[in-house]
Amino acid sequence: MVELAIVSVYIWIGFVGAISFMEAWLKFRAPGVDLKIGLSIGQLVFSALNRVEWTLAFLLLGALLLNIESVPNYFWGIILLPISFLFIQSMVLLPRLKVQAQEKIRGNSSQKSSIHIYYIIFELIKVVTLAGIGYMLFKF
């Protein structure tokens, strides 16, 4: 079952990397994609990414629980880090970003916000942590 945990971690990294660090800003460079269309696409894509991330997080946890005897106690604390960031993103940051996007789509000027910066920082920490977790899993 450790193999399922490893696969889950690296697929998770791949999804976050492809969406957050590539698709998110590239869509605004495509011909014909204005701010409203880009924000609408972004809402859809990040909502789907969030569901995929939760699925992969549960697969990771489930695989580790099925192999609990070989998982060191300290590792559970490490696993909670990316899951905690995902929880904060899901419950705090994404809902606020959705409100901001809706305001911009409606044509209302919203003030500059640091929520995107926090989201990006969380994504970076999450990917680095997941890479470390993936490396550690090869030792189980």
Side-chain angles (χ1 to χ4, degrees), residues 45-102:
V45 169
F46 276 91
S47 176
L49 173 62
N50 190 259
R51 289 189 300 274
V52 168
E53 284 191 84
W54 278 113
T55 301
L56 293 166
F58 285 123
L59 279 173
L60 172 61
L61 285 172
L64 291 175
L65 286 170
L66 290 173
N67 202 35
I68 198 163
E69 66 280 348
S70 66
V71 179
N73 288 336
Y74 70 86
F75 197 70
W76 294 106
I78 296 169
I79 289 291
L80 289 178
L81 188 59
I83 293 171
S84 297
F85 279 111
L86 179 59
F87 181 81
I88 293 167
Q89 287 176 310
S90 300
M91 299 299 146
V92 178
L93 299 178
L94 281 175
R96 290 183 182 176
L97 287 170
K98 184 176 182 175
V99 168
Q100 283 183 357
Q102 288 297 319

Side-chain angles (χ1 to χ4, degrees), residues 7-18:
V7 168
S8 298
V9 165
Y10 286 106
I11 290 175
W12 191 351
I13 291 170
F15 264 94
V16 171

